[in-house]
Structure formats: C-alpha cells, structure tokens
C-alpha cells in the first residue's frame, strides 16, 4: 500500500479510524469484485480519498456499508466496509494510475522488468488494468482518458525539463489527473456545484503528492542516477517546502467551499493529515512560511542558519543509503508475504513491498506526539484558516 496520507491511530478517534479502514477495505474489495484478485495489489492510501469524498457529500443510505468476511489484513476479523460508486471510482482511478506506473517501470527496465519475458507479461497486465479501469469509469460516467493523457504527457514534460524549468510545469499532469478524479465525486454524490472547489483541491493534492514523492526519493534517485524533479529543475528543498505548505493551505481553502453532509473524515485527512505528510517527508515539525522578523532565525529564512560544508538544510545527519526498490513481480511476492503474515495491518513498522520505504501498520499504535488538537477540537479553533500558517 502506498500514498502520502497515512494517519496513525493516535490521531484518529475510534470512530474515524473505523471509517478510514472501511474505505480502505472497500477500495480493496471493489478491486477484487470488479477486476479479480491480482488487482488488489494496487490498493493505496490516497485512492481511498476518492471514496471518502464521495460519501462525505452524499446523504447516508441503507446500502452504504456491508460486513466483509475475515481477511488476513484485518487479522482475520470481519469489518464494515464501504461500498458503492465512490469505492468503484477509487478502484478505477487506482487501476489506471497503477497501470501507468507499471509501464514506467518497464520503460526504465527496473529490476526484473529489465528482462524481456517479464516486461512482456507486465505490459499485458498494464493493458488489462487500463481496459478494466476504463470500463468501470465509463459505468460511472467518468472518462479515464483524462488520466491516461496526463500520464502520457508526463514523460515528454520530464524530457524537456531542465535547470530553470518551473517545478509546477512538471507536476501539472499529476494535478490534472487528480483534479478530474476529485471533481467527479461531486457528480456521483449529486452535487455538481461542488465540482469547482473539489477540482481545485484535487489539483493541489496532485501537486503535493508529486512534490513529496520527489523529496522522499531525492537521495535514492541521486544514488541510482534516476530522474528526479527537484534535481532536474534545480529546485532546492526550501522552495519545495514552500510549495508543499502552500498546497496544503490551498486545499484547506478549497474544502471550505464544498457542500458536505459529513466532512469530518475528509477534513482530518485533507486538512490535517496532509500537514503530517509534509512534515514526515521533510523530517521536520516546522512549516515553510516565514517566521516573525523578531525571531533570531528570521534572517536565515524559515529553516534557520544555512548548513555549512554542504550539509542538509534541516540539520539532520545524512540518511543511510536506502534499499533499492523492488521490481513489479518481486513487489507482488513481497505484498503477498505481508498479507499472509498480517504485517500490513498489525506490525508497528514494515517495509513497503515495492518502494521498500518504512510504513506503519494500519492498526498499529505509534509513539508520536498526538497531544495537539488534530482531530476533535481542530475545527473549533481553526476553520482551516487560523492555523494556516503552520
């Protein structure tokens, strides 16, 4: 499972945690029901936000939940799971974007995908996912061609990007794809007047996802010689952090314009957990906006005195070399192993099957400082604006 929105259990109330898991399991089961067992490997944390947004705008009905049977990812427990058009749209979007990711790995000859027989099989799977996502999207009135077009344009934009190219030029295709997916949740919920603010929220969410992925992969890409947006455009971490913080702020502003029926989970994920995602990627608890001029560090910018002798701007020692990502099929094997051992659900920490990044188990506790007003009282004090500078 991959994605930038990975809330820990301390920052969700028991009710919100149950809702979040319902959408996660609903996406997984929608993939299985419509597209077969193999499709479940594209389940991801960010995809479920499409399901969350659809449900948040719609009046609750008797068929919005069903009880799913025991599953290894839930330690063989039953659970209520989300079902309906939101989960199916999330599945369609996840399939098409995962297909693009597979094709990208094949083009880069990553791992086993550098071998012709494996690459041929991977392309065949990618094509089937494209067709399956398009069929599901069409049944929901959503044309997945906008996603495919965005992915196809990404390679050409990256090939032309160089020092001085705006980072936002590189993130535009991702922004376009996520804007379309977010906006269509308003159509499914029967609230077309929500399309514009949700498209804006989706556009900024796509920008943020692209930025954080670039930041997290910066050192690994440099070691392997892989293309990275920050290195290619000459964008430093200070500017990347400013763009990330502005994207989070813009999402909060856009959400205020959306007509929700029950916005609690959507608000927590998109207005508060995104801040945690940014802090996690940049390994800091500070925001990227300028501090008051009276503070001693203000003359050095938002991160204090610049590092000496090429150190990193956050004052952390260099990270040890990260393990190389697994190829597609090796990742599938690792995914099955994690499922069978319930590590994705119950482990405090596990290694991502494809990226090999450290992940927290869905149901694990954490030792983070959750003493702030993240969930219960957050809306009383901020309305997504008064805390927007943090």
């Amino acid at each position: 499972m991959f994605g930038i929105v990975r809330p820990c259990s301390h920052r969700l109330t028991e009710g919100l945690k149950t809702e979040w898991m319902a959408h996660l399991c609903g996406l997984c089961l929608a993939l299985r029901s419509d597209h077969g067992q193999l499709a479940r490997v594209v389940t991801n944390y960010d995809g479920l936000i499409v399901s969350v947004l659809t449900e948040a705008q719609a009046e609750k009905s008797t068929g919005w939940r069903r009880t799913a049977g025991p599953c290894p990812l839930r330690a063989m427990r039953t659970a209520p799971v989300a079902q309906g058009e939101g989960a199916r749209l999330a599945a369609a979007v996840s399939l098409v974007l995962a297909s693009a990711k597979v094709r990208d790995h094949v083009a880069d000859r990553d791992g086993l995908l550098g071998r012709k027989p494996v690459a041929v099989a991977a392309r065949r799977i990618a094509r089937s996912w494209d067709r399956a996502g398009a069929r599901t999207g069409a049944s929901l009135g959503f044309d997945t061609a906008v996603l495919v077009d965005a992915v196809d344009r990404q390679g050409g934009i990256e090939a032309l990007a160089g020092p001085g190219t705006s980072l936002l030029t590189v993130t535009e295709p991702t922004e376009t794809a996520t804007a379309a997916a977010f906006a269509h949740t308003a159509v499914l919920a029967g609230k077309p007047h929500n399309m514009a603010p949700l498209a804006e929220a989706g556009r900024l969410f796509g920008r943020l996802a692209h930025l954080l992925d670039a930041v997290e992969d910066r050192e690994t890409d440099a070691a392997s010689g892989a293309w990275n947006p920050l290195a290619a455009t000459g964008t430093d971490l200070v500017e990347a952090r400013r763009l990330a913080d502005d994207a989070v702020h813009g999402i909060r502003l856009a959400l205020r314009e959306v007509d929700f029926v029950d916005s609690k989970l959507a608000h927590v994920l998109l207005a508060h957990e995104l801040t945690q995602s940014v802090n996690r990627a940049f390994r800091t608890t500070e925001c990227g906006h300028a501090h008051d001029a009276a503070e001693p560090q203000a003359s050095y910018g938002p991160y204090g005195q610049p590092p000496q002798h090429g150190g990193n701007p956050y004052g952390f020692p260099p990270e040890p070399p990260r393990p190389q990502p697994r190829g597609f099929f090796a990742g599938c094997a690792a995914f099955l192993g994690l499922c069978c051992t319930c590590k994705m659900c119950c482990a405090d920490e596990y290694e991502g099957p494809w990226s090999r990044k450290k992940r927290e188990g869905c149901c694990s506790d954490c030792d983070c400082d959750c003493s702030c007003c993240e969930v219960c009282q957050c809306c009383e004090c901020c309305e997504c604006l008064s805390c927007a500078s943090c």
Side-chain angles (χ1 to χ4, degrees):
M1 299 181 193
F2 50 94
I4 64 173
V5 183
R6 304 192 297 271
C8 80
S9 58
H10 283 178
R11 290 195 300 270
L12 293 179
T13 63
E14 193 60 33
L16 289 180
K17 180 181 175 182
T18 299
E19 289 293 298
W20 184 76
M21 286 297 297
H23 286 283
L24 182 62
C25 294
L27 169 57
C28 182
L29 293 176
L31 285 163
R32 185 198 66 180
S33 298
D34 288 351
H35 311 293
Q37 290 285 358
L38 181 60
R40 299 173 79 177
V41 301
V42 309
T43 303
N44 65 95
Y45 295 125
D46 294 346
L48 70 88
I49 291 176
V50 172
S51 179
V52 171
L53 285 173
T54 303
E55 193 171 281
Q57 299 171 74
E59 298 291 342
K60 289 182 173 56
S61 64
T62 54
W64 69 303
R65 288 286 184 274
R66 72 177 180 88
T67 301
C71 173
L73 286 176
R74 295 190 298 269
M76 301 309 294
R77 295 190 296 263
T78 61
V81 299
Q83 64 175 348
E85 293 183 332
R88 296 184 66 221
L89 177 62
V93 171
S94 296
L95 274 175
V96 174
L97 296 182
S99 168
K101 193 176 185 70
V102 170
R103 291 198 300 272
D104 186 55
H105 283 308
V106 170
D108 292 341
R109 302 176 64 84
D110 289 338
L112 287 175
L113 294 177
R115 301 179 181 179
K116 188 173 181 179
V118 179
V120 170
R123 287 194 189 97
R124 187 171 300 165
I125 291 172
R127 285 195 297 270
S128 71
W129 283 351
D130 269 338
R131 292 192 296 268
R135 285 195 304 271
T136 300
S139 70
L140 299 171
F142 180 67
D143 186 359
T144 58
V146 66
L147 308 183
V148 176
D149 175 70
V151 171
D152 289 344
R153 288 190 293 108
Q154 186 71 53
I157 290 173
E158 291 179 358
L160 295 174
T165 301
S166 170
L167 192 58
L168 301 187
T169 299
V170 178
T171 63
E172 180 274 321
T174 308
E175 295 178 23
T176 300
T178 50
F182 274 42
H184 198 69
T185 65
V187 176
L188 296 182
K191 293 191 174 180
H193 54 283
N194 283 341
M195 289 183 67
L198 284 173
E200 177 66 5
R203 182 180 67 82
L204 294 171
F205 183 87
R207 175 183 301 179
L208 188 62
H210 203 134
L211 281 171
L212 297 190
D213 185 63
V215 170
E216 290 182 341
D217 293 346
R218 187 174 58 97
E219 293 174 1
T220 303
D221 289 344
S224 65
W227 194 90
N228 184 282
L230 300 180
T233 60
T235 305
D236 59 29
L237 287 176
V238 173
E239 174 63 9
R241 180 61 195 261
R242 185 189 68 79
L243 291 172
D245 286 330
D246 285 347
V248 173
H249 181 46
I251 290 170
R252 289 174 169 178
L253 291 174
L255 289 178
R256 294 191 68 197
E257 304 302 318
V258 180
D259 175 18
F260 285 119
V261 173
D262 182 359
S263 65
K264 188 175 295 183
L265 181 58
H267 177 87
V268 169
L269 295 179
L270 292 173
H272 293 280
E273 284 301 326
L274 282 182
T275 300
Q276 299 294 331
S277 301
V278 173
N279 288 335
R280 182 169 57 241
F282 285 90
R283 302 192 301 278
T284 179
T285 58
E286 294 186 56
C287 68
H289 294 87
H291 292 266
D292 188 270
E295 296 182 22
Q297 66 186 35
S299 59
Y300 298 113
Y303 299 106
Q305 186 173 5
Q308 303 299 315
H309 310 297
N312 87 52
Y314 301 99
F316 289 87
E319 283 192 40
R322 297 183 182 182
Q324 291 296 313
R326 294 186 180 94
F328 176 72
F329 289 101
C332 290
F335 175 84
L336 292 175
L338 290 169
C339 287
C340 293
T341 57
C342 301
K343 285 187 176 180
M344 281 188 173
C345 181
C346 304
D348 290 335
E349 187 177 74
Y350 66 90
E351 190 179 77
W354 287 277
S355 68
R356 305 190 73 175
K357 297 175 184 176
K358 296 299 181 183
R359 307 294 194 196
E360 294 175 354
C362 298
C363 300
S364 65
D365 289 334
C366 67
D367 57 1
C368 61
D369 177 12
C370 300
S371 59
C372 58
C373 63
E374 289 291 345
V375 179
C376 298
Q377 285 81 36
C378 62
C379 299
E380 297 176 8
C381 65
C382 70
E383 288 188 328
C384 298
L385 281 177
S386 61
C387 64
S389 61
C390 296

